[in-house]
Amino acid sequence: MARVGEAFFATSNDNRQSAGGGDPPGGDVLEARVSALEKKFDKIESKLDSIGNDLAFIKGKIDGLPSAAAMGEIKGRVDGLPTLGKIATLFALAASGIAILNNWSAIKTALFG
């Protein structure tokens, strides 16, 4: 059990060492732990740099996408395209016009005698 006022450091295997008398305090274990943390930090730092580059690339792609106003304009143009019903109506009118022109003499005789 620790005495009141005495400082302790936890080691990697969770044994406790007194802060007194060592050079550096905590013994050589502290130096090894700090060294391991520094190595891990270097790896983390390089990974964060890589993530930052990826995010910048994604941001560039997003900035190149059409805005909401442009998408609204495109939607308006698409909505203005003829539908199947409109195309069928135009085809029926064209067919009726051709039929009238082909049979004009018969229609003229029937209407005007």
Side-chain angles (χ1 to χ4, degrees):
M1 202 65 175
R3 287 178 270 161
V4 175
E6 187 176 356
F8 285 91
F9 293 101
T11 61
S12 61
N13 61 3
D14 221 11
N15 292 332
R16 298 190 178 269
Q17 297 181 348
S18 172
D23 187 22
D28 292 334
V29 176
L30 181 62
E31 182 65 32
R33 291 178 64 205
V34 169
S35 176
L37 286 172
E38 287 173 344
K39 288 178 186 175
K40 288 180 181 180
F41 180 77
D42 288 340
K43 290 180 184 177
I44 290 171
E45 190 175 27
S46 68
K47 288 181 182 179
L48 285 175
D49 288 341
S50 174
I51 290 170
N53 292 337
D54 291 345
L55 286 176
F57 176 76
I58 291 170
K59 185 179 182 295
K61 290 288 188 179
I62 289 173
D63 289 342
L65 293 175
S67 66
M71 289 302 288
E73 181 181 342
I74 291 171
K75 185 181 181 312
R77 289 182 178 183
V78 168
D79 289 345
L81 291 174
T83 61
L84 184 61
K86 289 179 184 177
I87 292 172
T89 302
L90 290 174
F91 181 74
L93 288 173
S96 298
I98 292 171
I100 289 171
L101 289 176
N102 284 339
N103 296 316
W104 180 247
S105 58
I107 294 170
K108 184 176 162 184
T109 306
L111 288 176
F112 303 114

